[in-house]
Amino acid sequence: MMIELCKELFPINRSITGDGVRASLKILQKRIPIRMHEVPSGTKVFDWTVPKEWNVSEAYVIDLKSGERIIDFKNCNLHLVGYSIPMDAVVSWEELNKHLFTIEEQPTAIPYITSYYREFWGFCVAYNEYQQIDRSSSFHVVIKSELKDGHLTYADLIIPGETEKEIFISTYVCHPSMVNNELSGPVVATFLAEWLLKKEKRKYTYRFVFIPETIGSITYLHYHLDVLKERVIGGYNLSCVGDERTFSYLPSRYGNTLSDKIALHVLNNTTTFRKYSFLDRGSDERQYCAPGVDLPICSILRTKFGDYPEYHTSLDNFDLVTEKGLSGTLDVYKKCIDLFELNFTPKVKVLCEPQLGKRGLYPTISTKSTGATVRNMMNFIAYADGTNDMIDICNIIGVPYWDCASFLQPLLEKDVLEAIG
Amino acid sequence: MMIELCKELFPINRSITGDGVRASLKILQKRIPIRMHEVPSGTKVFDWTVPKEWNVSEAYVIDLKSGERIIDFKNCNLHLVGYSIPMDAVVSWEELNKHLFTIEEQPTAIPYITSYYREFWGFCVAYNEYQQIDRSSSFHVVIKSELKDGHLTYADLIIPGETEKEIFISTYVCHPSMVNNELSGPVVATFLAEWLLKKEKRKYTYRFVFIPETIGSITYLHYHLDVLKERVIGGYNLSCVGDERTFSYLPSRYGNTLSDKIALHVLNNTTTFRKYSFLDRGSDERQYCAPGVDLPICSILRTKFGDYPEYHTSLDNFDLVTEKGLSGTLDVYKKCIDLFELNFTPKVKVLCEPQLGKRGLYPTISTKSTGATVRNMMNFIAYADGTNDMIDICNIIGVPYWDCASFLQPLLEKDVLEAIG
Amino acid sequence: MMIELCKELFPINRSITGDGVRASLKILQKRIPIRMHEVPSGTKVFDWTVPKEWNVSEAYVIDLKSGERIIDFKNCNLHLVGYSIPMDAVVSWEELNKHLFTIEEQPTAIPYITSYYREFWGFCVAYNEYQQIDRSSSFHVVIKSELKDGHLTYADLIIPGETEKEIFISTYVCHPSMVNNELSGPVVATFLAEWLLKKEKRKYTYRFVFIPETIGSITYLHYHLDVLKERVIGGYNLSCVGDERTFSYLPSRYGNTLSDKIALHVLNNTTTFRKYSFLDRGSDERQYCAPGVDLPICSILRTKFGDYPEYHTSLDNFDLVTEKGLSGTLDVYKKCIDLFELNFTPKVKVLCEPQLGKRGLYPTISTKSTGATVRNMMNFIAYADGTNDMIDICNIIGVPYWDCASFLQPLLEKDVLEAIG
């Protein structure tokens, strides 16, 4: 069950670098043969630089009046601002308060805050807890973190197919204890890879990457852009795919890639969904669809990052993400991959309508009603003129691709259609 | 009157082959000089084979208890399933019932059923009659039909014009005693041909074909595809054009041919009409617009085949089809042909607006209101930039082509416009 | 104030030729260095001929019973039909009435009527006055006008810029005492030219023309078409720009020029407006957008000529046109010119998203809310792929160009973007 894997990964303190990423990837490695890679801090990757590696052993705040730990990283790793520098100091309420983050409108939620590119320390607390802090006290702040030249860690997996042309699946492993954003992405990606590994035959090669968001995709593109531009014909960025709410579609920069066409065909024929603009982007599609990168990548999500109330708080937990939510999304992605695999450009081999009766494909008595039963097949043939691929034809004739499977194979076998691309 | 011609043709037992087709064509031949052609049974035509020729002299069912003919082909040729094999046997109700067709929802209607490509026999009866058959009786079934190697018969007519480029008009003559589908098509086509024959001048050559549906158009294309692809610039398939209900438009495969443009211009400026998709096709446009055939053919119909309750039953009779219905459609097709003949690509010969006053084409006093009276002419000239044909311009300026006739000739004569195509 | 300039110009009797045009242009010449040009009567200009020059000293009608001047050109120059021939005759009511123009529905309005291309004389009167004329009287008609071989007068002004490519601004000076149509056009054009002359730097060269409508633009095009076609990249025809009613947009022939794109971007982001069709044209865009001329000219107006009740009557006065109306339109045209000047095709210089933090362009702490503040900048960069100009990008990201100024300069300076066109 995907939800079990989420639960195993949940407690680990992930960030864009550090041992939390490594520990998480090792758990995934038990299921699929990903390769792990380490990129040294300071490496220039396009406009960016790989940051220092960050690890934390302990972090807490003691109220010196009561002697109690009023905030403790041990209880929830969201309590500590990501990339907080080491600290051991006694501070006043006034000073402490400058380093506290809370959300008044969601009084039970611990917010998720990071400071990757400015040296800073801070704690995040639920507003209800924040209100109970004794403001007349002073506070012992302890952050046993380490910011050192180390490595950025990521993993990838190449599942070979009949051609070198690739489908690219990307997801990220840099978020601490939140489930939808982002354990749902790596977990669905892992199960998708397992499913693909079990297939006897794959037309395309599949590339999965498990990276930290933004700096990770930039790093990956830095090392692989040429090969990706040459080989990748489609793919998806997986994020926020575990809740049970409505599906969402976030297009590529111009919404005109094969990945978009496939996502829309599957979604239009499966479910209601919300159609976003590329202006609503926010995850690694920002890099994959950047000018000059131009990879054909888009996203199918459940409720989009930023658009659900639990987003980037401790409420993004197992109340939100369920096995049903995860497997619903997995099914949609499987359909997309099936469609990549099955798609081809058909062309009818006979002039005028084919005589289907003599091939056993047509009823022999013509009545008022028999027309309807073969209409899909005849409509498919009518547009199999070599200018449309299978998806185009399905869209023109208003039929999901899975309803064409029953007649497409016979039409190819009985020499009515040929594949010209 | 067209309705008289329908009535003359009505009683004949037509099918896709046989003497009924020949008799019908001979009646048309009294009006227009069509040439008849015979294609032997067994001839391969693309993916199909010309079937055996079918003729019937008698067909009936006798109730052996009462001794009465309870079904008789003599009364209505729809009673016999088309292409029924010969039969002379006494059968039980149970056996007979497997060969009876009826429509419970239309209890007075005899359905129209055929079995061209599977050897079969059967009778069609109104549900009310069907209910009265004595099921305890046995029945003498007699079908004096003949299925033999013979010929498929069709006719065509070439009316020459100034150029070899052709307008192609196709209709079918394979339906027994039903009026809208399909005596209306051949009758309107015949009158259209008569009208064209009387014209002093025709820019285009006109080709009329009177064929059995499907196998006939496939046969015709088999023999003439190259010449049709080279010459035909437009045309229509005529079917179901005789009732008084709303007009319908059925586009070519992509709806983008000159025939579509002309049909839409005429319909948009004449009447309300229902716009179908090519997915709703059902007549010989299936062959003419097939991939690789790709002729620029579409259809203007009254209520479309399949979409009116009387379709393919004995109710498709003279209650449905009227002279008014037939002549309304004839008028629309005449307008379409006029538009083919008149259409050209105009280009204005002067820079800036022409001085129409000195050519006697413009009022000399300019007041608040005179602007409107010459607006159509000026608008036409404004878009006569050599990129639009007459139809495009009429569509842009929102005027039917027949409202431009009054100024187009003067503009050409007075050297304001020239025809560049 | 623009309204003062309107008032100074108002009393002059302008027509398509004559001293009224010269006097008006001399008043404009006091503000901007226009050059005046004279084209002889009889000159062939494309399809047209420059007409005789027309001047008037006096024109009146005396009721011979009462001895009173019942109509007098001195009171309002609209009283005399434009281009009236000289006349000194005593006429009956019946005869006079054939030469009187009035508007029953607007009983206080003197209509504006001309007869440029047919020799004629006539007077225009308010319906209320018309009703009071003693129809039993006879009338002394005096028109001291002169129709002679003279000149058509126009003016132009070239304001040089960094490139020879031009923005073309045209307006007309041929209407007598009416304010919106047409003193508003020349007055707004004059102030626009003054504003441009004061600019330190102009990318483009600006060409202003002050001409009589129709015959003037045709004459101007006759002499300058080649240079205009080579140099003009955009421009506007100014007419009816002085009232306070809603804005209007009148497109070029196909609505697809840079001028249209800029007009629509400014209007869409500034105000509600009415969008017309080129079929609604009526001023010199008729010539500039004629086939073969094809200049990229469109119009932003207040209420369009022909569409406001005061149009072409004495009610088109200072009740209708105000400083507020004039300056509102001037502001819109300034924005359009700014946009011509600022527009460029940006291309991002780095692969993947740029690291804006290190350039001081991005907040360092990432919280739930900071995303929104830099979204416009990031969206702009995301579409700066070299295929879109600045206006395209602003339209895609839904932001007016003036909201991008704050970040565009820094992005160019800090080497994130470059201008490729």
Side-chain angles (χ1 to χ4, degrees):
Chain A
M1 296 242 293
M2 285 183 276
I3 203 74
E4 299 304 325
L5 182 54
C6 289
K7 284 179 180 162
E8 186 177 356
L9 292 161
F10 185 73
I12 300 168
N13 183 46
R14 281 167 296 275
S15 183
I16 54 173
T17 62
D19 291 333
V21 177
R22 288 185 194 97
S24 300
L25 292 174
K26 270 176 199 152
I27 289 172
L28 300 184
Q29 217 170 24
K30 289 188 288 180
R31 307 191 68 109
I32 53 172
I34 51 175
R35 297 171 307 178
M36 287 170 64
H37 306 269
E38 301 277 345
V39 180
S41 300
T43 304
K44 302 282 172 202
V45 286
F46 296 129
D47 199 43
W48 299 65
T49 304
V50 172
K52 289 184 174 168
E53 182 176 332
W54 183 66
N55 287 294
V56 186
S57 57
E58 278 193 294
Y60 51 82
V61 177
I62 296 174
D63 176 337
L64 289 177
K65 243 191 211 168
S66 68
E68 279 178 20
R69 290 196 180 190
I70 57 169
I71 309 172
D72 196 342
F73 173 76
K74 227 180 280 175
N75 299 330
C76 175
N77 55 36
L78 297 182
H79 276 314
L80 184 62
V81 166
Y83 264 65
S84 280
I85 56 176
M87 182 62 41
D88 188 344
V90 171
V91 299
S92 66
W93 164 250
E94 198 175 23
E95 178 64 15
L96 177 65
N97 196 25
K98 290 178 192 161
H99 294 261
L100 293 186
F101 297 87
T102 191
I103 309 168
E104 191 170 347
E105 307 74 37
Q106 292 177 294
T108 64
I110 307 165
Y112 166 55
I113 307 287
T114 66
S115 180
Y116 301 137
Y117 298 101
R118 185 172 70 104
E119 296 214 338
F120 184 79
W121 66 269
F123 286 89
C124 303
V125 284
Y127 185 73
N128 285 348
E129 307 293 324
Y130 173 82
Q131 285 293 80
Q132 304 207 349
I133 299 175
D134 180 353
R135 295 169 189 207
S136 67
S137 184
S138 59
F139 304 90
H140 186 192
V141 174
V142 176
I143 303 176
K144 295 191 180 164
S145 69
E146 190 185 32
L147 257 175
K148 62 167 185 196
D149 281 336
H151 293 83
L152 175 152
T153 310
Y154 72 83
D156 64 6
L157 168 64
I158 309 281
I159 307 177
E162 291 168 4
T163 84
E164 276 205 328
K165 292 293 172 191
E166 289 185 5
I167 311 298
F168 181 76
I169 304 291
S170 179
T171 189
Y172 48 96
V173 287
C174 56
H175 281 51
S177 296
M178 293 175 295
V179 191
N180 207 24
N181 179 238
E182 194 60 82
L183 288 172
S184 67
V187 166
V188 168
T190 299
F191 275 65
L192 201 59
E194 284 193 283
W195 173 74
L196 278 161
L197 284 161
K198 278 182 203 142
K199 280 192 147 191
E200 282 186 10
K201 206 178 117 140
R202 289 171 300 265
K203 182 164 155 194
Y204 294 109
T205 295
Y206 290 81
R207 182 185 296 255
F208 284 77
V209 302
F210 300 83
I211 53 181
E213 202 182 11
T214 306
I215 187 65
S217 49
I218 292 168
T219 299
Y220 197 84
L221 288 168
H222 179 76
Y223 287 113
H224 301 91
L225 184 58
D226 288 348
V227 72
L228 293 175
K229 290 191 78 155
E230 191 191 320
R231 294 186 188 168
V232 172
I233 63 151
Y236 300 97
N237 183 63
L238 267 59
S239 172
C240 299
V241 293
D243 65 87
E244 293 182 23
R245 296 170 187 158
T246 191
F247 279 92
S248 303
Y249 158 68
L250 193 125
S252 67
R253 187 158 91 247
Y254 292 107
N256 60 355
T257 73
L258 181 56
S259 309
D260 293 280
K261 188 159 98 169
I262 283 178
L264 285 170
H265 181 80
V266 169
L267 288 170
N268 278 322
N269 286 288
T270 307
T271 178
T272 57
F273 64 101
R274 181 164 171 190
K275 194 172 175 175
Y276 282 92
S277 152
F278 186 64
L279 301 178
D280 302 306
R281 74 201 177 285
S283 180
D284 281 331
E285 68 281 355
R286 285 155 42 207
Q287 314 310 328
Y288 299 134
C289 299
V293 178
D294 301 324
L295 292 177
I297 303 299
C298 65
S299 289
I300 298 169
L301 315 89
R302 291 292 188 141
T303 43
K304 195 182 70 71
F305 37 79
D307 278 5
Y308 57 95
E310 303 89 344
Y311 173 72
H312 272 202
T313 75
S314 58
L315 302 181
D316 183 347
N317 58 30
F318 292 96
D319 292 339
L320 177 66
V321 172
T322 66
E323 184 67 22
K324 187 179 166 198
L326 293 161
S327 65
T329 317
L330 180 63
D331 284 348
V332 164
Y333 276 113
K334 283 180 181 172
K335 281 201 173 75
C336 290
I337 284 175
D338 276 343
L339 192 43
F340 273 110
E341 293 274 322
L342 289 171
N343 191 34
F344 70 110
T345 299
K347 190 168 178 188
V348 63
K349 295 184 74 172
V350 298
L351 284 167
C352 297
E353 286 188 340
Q355 221 284 31
L356 297 178
K358 71 182 185 189
R359 294 177 175 87
L361 297 167
Y362 200 88
T364 44
I365 294 259
S366 85
T367 70
K368 242 184 157 179
S369 68
T370 48
T373 61
V374 285
R375 185 149 290 267
N376 283 347
M377 178 167 53
M378 297 310 288
N379 281 345
F380 194 99
I381 293 168
Y383 284 95
D385 56 18
T387 71
N388 304 305
D389 69 13
M390 186 180 93
I391 308 165
D392 297 328
I393 300 177
C394 286
N395 289 340
I396 291 171
I397 72 174
V399 172
Y401 80 87
W402 50 83
D403 283 358
C404 298
S406 65
F407 59 74
L408 271 180
Q409 208 47 45
L411 289 176
L412 287 161
E413 280 164 12
K414 302 208 172 174
D415 241 20
V416 176
L417 295 181
E418 64 182 325
I420 63 163
Chain B
M1 298 239 294
M2 284 184 277
I3 203 74
E4 300 304 326
L5 183 54
C6 288
K7 284 179 180 162
E8 187 177 355
L9 292 161
F10 184 73
I12 300 168
N13 183 45
R14 282 167 294 276
S15 183
I16 53 174
T17 62
D19 292 331
V21 177
R22 289 185 193 98
S24 301
L25 292 173
K26 271 174 199 152
I27 290 172
L28 302 184
Q29 217 171 23
K30 289 187 286 181
R31 307 191 67 109
I32 52 172
I34 50 174
R35 297 171 307 180
M36 287 170 63
H37 306 269
E38 301 277 346
V39 180
S41 300
T43 305
K44 302 280 171 203
V45 286
F46 296 127
D47 200 42
W48 298 65
T49 304
V50 172
K52 290 186 174 164
E53 182 176 331
W54 183 65
N55 288 293
V56 185
S57 56
E58 279 193 292
Y60 51 82
V61 177
I62 295 174
D63 176 336
L64 290 177
K65 243 191 215 171
S66 68
E68 279 176 23
R69 290 197 181 189
I70 56 169
I71 309 173
D72 196 339
F73 173 76
K74 228 179 279 176
N75 299 330
C76 173
N77 55 36
L78 297 182
H79 277 314
L80 185 63
V81 167
Y83 265 64
S84 279
I85 56 177
M87 183 63 41
D88 187 346
V90 172
V91 300
S92 65
W93 164 252
E94 198 176 25
E95 178 65 16
L96 177 65
N97 196 26
K98 289 178 192 159
H99 293 263
L100 293 185
F101 297 88
T102 191
I103 308 169
E104 190 168 348
E105 307 75 35
Q106 293 176 291
T108 66
I110 306 164
Y112 166 56
I113 307 286
T114 66
S115 179
Y116 301 136
Y117 298 99
R118 186 172 69 104
E119 295 213 339
F120 184 77
W121 65 269
F123 286 88
C124 303
V125 284
Y127 185 72
N128 286 347
E129 308 293 323
Y130 174 82
Q131 285 293 81
Q132 305 205 349
I133 299 175
D134 179 354
R135 295 171 189 206
S136 68
S137 185
S138 59
F139 304 91
H140 186 191
V141 174
V142 175
I143 303 176
K144 294 190 180 166
S145 68
E146 190 186 30
L147 257 174
K148 61 167 186 197
D149 280 337
H151 293 84
L152 175 152
T153 310
Y154 72 84
D156 64 5
L157 168 64
I158 309 281
I159 307 177
E162 290 168 5
T163 83
E164 276 205 328
K165 292 292 173 192
E166 290 185 6
I167 310 300
F168 181 76
I169 304 290
S170 179
T171 190
Y172 50 95
V173 287
C174 55
H175 281 50
S177 296
M178 293 175 294
V179 191
N180 207 24
N181 180 236
E182 195 61 80
L183 289 173
S184 67
V187 165
V188 168
T190 299
F191 275 66
L192 201 60
E194 284 192 284
W195 173 73
L196 278 161
L197 285 161
K198 279 182 202 141
K199 281 193 145 188
E200 283 187 7
K201 207 178 115 141
R202 289 171 299 268
K203 183 164 155 192
Y204 293 110
T205 295
Y206 290 80
R207 181 185 297 256
F208 284 77
V209 301
F210 300 83
I211 52 181
E213 202 180 10
T214 306
I215 188 64
S217 50
I218 292 168
T219 299
Y220 197 85
L221 288 168
H222 179 76
Y223 287 112
H224 300 90
L225 183 58
D226 287 349
V227 71
L228 293 176
K229 291 191 78 157
E230 191 191 319
R231 295 186 187 168
V232 172
I233 63 151
Y236 299 97
N237 183 63
L238 267 60
S239 172
C240 300
V241 294
D243 64 88
E244 294 183 22
R245 297 168 186 158
T246 192
F247 280 92
S248 303
Y249 158 68
L250 192 125
S252 67
R253 188 158 90 246
Y254 292 109
N256 60 355
T257 72
L258 180 55
S259 309
D260 293 280
K261 189 160 98 169
I262 283 178
L264 286 170
H265 181 79
V266 169
L267 287 171
N268 278 321
N269 287 287
T270 306
T271 179
T272 56
F273 65 100
R274 180 162 172 193
K275 193 172 175 176
Y276 282 91
S277 151
F278 186 64
L279 300 179
D280 302 306
R281 74 199 178 287
S283 180
D284 281 330
E285 68 280 355
R286 284 155 42 207
Q287 314 311 327
Y288 299 135
C289 299
V293 178
D294 300 325
L295 292 176
I297 303 299
C298 65
S299 289
I300 298 169
L301 316 89
R302 292 291 188 142
T303 42
K304 194 180 71 68
F305 37 80
D307 278 6
Y308 58 95
E310 303 90 345
Y311 173 72
H312 272 201
T313 76
S314 57
L315 302 180
D316 183 347
N317 58 30
F318 291 96
D319 292 338
L320 177 66
V321 172
T322 65
E323 183 68 22
K324 188 178 166 197
L326 292 161
S327 65
T329 317
L330 180 63
D331 284 348
V332 163
Y333 274 114
K334 284 180 180 172
K335 281 201 173 76
C336 290
I337 284 176
D338 276 342
L339 192 43
F340 272 111
E341 292 275 322
L342 290 171
N343 191 33
F344 71 109
T345 299
K347 190 169 177 187
V348 63
K349 294 185 74 170
V350 298
L351 285 167
C352 296
E353 286 188 341
Q355 222 285 31
L356 296 179
K358 70 182 184 189
R359 295 179 173 86
L361 297 167
Y362 201 86
T364 45
I365 294 258
S366 85
T367 70
K368 240 183 159 180
S369 69
T370 48
T373 62
V374 286
R375 184 149 291 267
N376 283 348
M377 179 168 52
M378 297 310 287
N379 280 346
F380 194 99
I381 293 168
Y383 284 96
D385 56 18
T387 70
N388 303 306
D389 68 14
M390 187 181 91
I391 308 165
D392 297 327
I393 300 177
C394 286
N395 289 340
I396 291 171
I397 72 174
V399 172
Y401 80 86
W402 50 85
D403 283 359
C404 299
S406 65
F407 60 73
L408 271 180
Q409 207 47 45
L411 289 175
L412 286 162
E413 281 164 12
K414 302 209 171 174
D415 241 20
V416 177
L417 295 182
E418 64 181 325
I420 63 163
Chain C
M1 298 239 294
M2 284 183 277
I3 202 75
E4 299 304 326
L5 183 54
C6 288
K7 284 180 180 161
E8 186 177 357
L9 292 160
F10 185 73
I12 299 168
N13 183 44
R14 280 166 296 276
S15 184
I16 54 173
T17 62
D19 292 332
V21 178
R22 291 187 192 96
S24 300
L25 292 174
K26 271 175 200 152
I27 289 171
L28 301 185
Q29 219 171 22
K30 290 188 286 180
R31 306 190 69 108
I32 53 172
I34 51 174
R35 297 171 309 177
M36 287 170 63
H37 306 270
E38 301 277 346
V39 180
S41 300
T43 304
K44 301 281 172 204
V45 288
F46 296 127
D47 200 42
W48 298 65
T49 304
V50 173
K52 289 185 175 168
E53 182 176 332
W54 183 66
N55 287 294
V56 184
S57 57
E58 279 194 293
Y60 51 84
V61 176
I62 295 176
D63 176 335
L64 290 177
K65 245 192 213 168
S66 68
E68 278 178 23
R69 290 197 181 189
I70 56 169
I71 309 172
D72 195 341
F73 173 76
K74 227 180 281 176
N75 298 331
C76 174
N77 53 36
L78 297 181
H79 277 314
L80 185 63
V81 166
Y83 265 64
S84 280
I85 56 177
M87 182 63 40
D88 189 344
V90 172
V91 300
S92 64
W93 164 250
E94 200 176 22
E95 177 65 15
L96 177 65
N97 196 26
K98 290 178 190 160
H99 293 261
L100 293 185
F101 296 89
T102 191
I103 308 169
E104 191 169 346
E105 306 74 37
Q106 294 177 292
T108 64
I110 307 165
Y112 166 56
I113 307 286
T114 65
S115 179
Y116 301 137
Y117 297 101
R118 185 172 71 103
E119 295 214 339
F120 184 78
W121 65 268
F123 286 88
C124 303
V125 285
Y127 186 72
N128 286 347
E129 307 294 323
Y130 173 82
Q131 285 294 79
Q132 305 206 348
I133 299 175
D134 180 353
R135 295 170 189 204
S136 67
S137 186
S138 59
F139 304 90
H140 187 192
V141 173
V142 176
I143 302 177
K144 295 192 180 165
S145 68
E146 190 186 31
L147 256 175
K148 61 165 186 197
D149 280 338
H151 293 84
L152 175 152
T153 310
Y154 72 83
D156 64 5
L157 168 64
I158 309 282
I159 307 177
E162 290 168 6
T163 84
E164 276 205 327
K165 292 293 173 192
E166 290 185 5
I167 311 298
F168 181 77
I169 304 290
S170 179
T171 190
Y172 49 97
V173 288
C174 57
H175 281 50
S177 296
M178 293 175 294
V179 192
N180 207 24
N181 178 238
E182 195 59 80
L183 288 173
S184 67
V187 166
V188 168
T190 299
F191 275 65
L192 201 59
E194 285 192 284
W195 173 73
L196 278 161
L197 285 162
K198 278 181 204 143
K199 281 193 145 190
E200 283 186 9
K201 207 178 114 139
R202 289 171 299 268
K203 184 164 153 193
Y204 294 110
T205 295
Y206 289 81
R207 181 185 297 255
F208 284 78
V209 301
F210 300 82
I211 52 181
E213 202 181 11
T214 306
I215 187 65
S217 50
I218 291 168
T219 299
Y220 197 85
L221 288 169
H222 179 76
Y223 288 112
H224 301 91
L225 183 58
D226 287 349
V227 69
L228 293 175
K229 289 191 78 156
E230 192 191 319
R231 293 186 188 167
V232 171
I233 64 151
Y236 299 98
N237 183 64
L238 267 60
S239 172
C240 300
V241 293
D243 65 87
E244 293 182 24
R245 295 170 186 157
T246 192
F247 279 93
S248 302
Y249 157 69
L250 192 126
S252 67
R253 187 159 90 247
Y254 292 108
N256 60 354
T257 73
L258 181 56
S259 309
D260 292 281
K261 187 159 99 169
I262 283 178
L264 285 171
H265 181 80
V266 170
L267 287 170
N268 278 323
N269 287 289
T270 308
T271 180
T272 57
F273 65 101
R274 180 163 171 192
K275 194 171 174 175
Y276 282 92
S277 153
F278 186 64
L279 301 179
D280 302 307
R281 74 200 178 286
S283 179
D284 281 331
E285 69 281 356
R286 284 155 42 206
Q287 314 311 328
Y288 299 135
C289 299
V293 178
D294 300 325
L295 293 177
I297 304 299
C298 66
S299 290
I300 298 168
L301 315 89
R302 292 292 189 140
T303 42
K304 194 182 70 70
F305 37 78
D307 279 5
Y308 58 95
E310 304 89 345
Y311 173 72
H312 272 202
T313 76
S314 57
L315 303 180
D316 184 347
N317 58 29
F318 291 97
D319 293 339
L320 177 66
V321 172
T322 66
E323 183 68 20
K324 188 178 165 198
L326 293 161
S327 65
T329 316
L330 180 63
D331 284 348
V332 164
Y333 275 113
K334 283 179 180 172
K335 281 201 174 75
C336 290
I337 283 175
D338 276 343
L339 192 42
F340 272 110
E341 293 275 321
L342 289 171
N343 191 35
F344 70 109
T345 299
K347 192 168 177 188
V348 63
K349 295 184 74 171
V350 298
L351 284 167
C352 297
E353 286 188 338
Q355 221 284 32
L356 296 178
K358 71 182 184 189
R359 295 177 174 89
L361 297 166
Y362 201 86
T364 45
I365 294 259
S366 85
T367 71
K368 239 184 160 180
S369 69
T370 49
T373 62
V374 286
R375 184 149 290 266
N376 283 348
M377 177 166 54
M378 297 310 287
N379 281 345
F380 194 99
I381 293 168
Y383 284 95
D385 55 18
T387 71
N388 304 305
D389 68 13
M390 186 181 93
I391 308 165
D392 297 327
I393 300 177
C394 286
N395 288 340
I396 292 171
I397 72 173
V399 171
Y401 81 86
W402 51 84
D403 283 358
C404 298
S406 65
F407 60 73
L408 272 180
Q409 207 48 44
L411 288 176
L412 286 162
E413 281 164 12
K414 301 209 173 173
D415 242 21
V416 177
L417 296 181
E418 64 182 325
I420 64 163

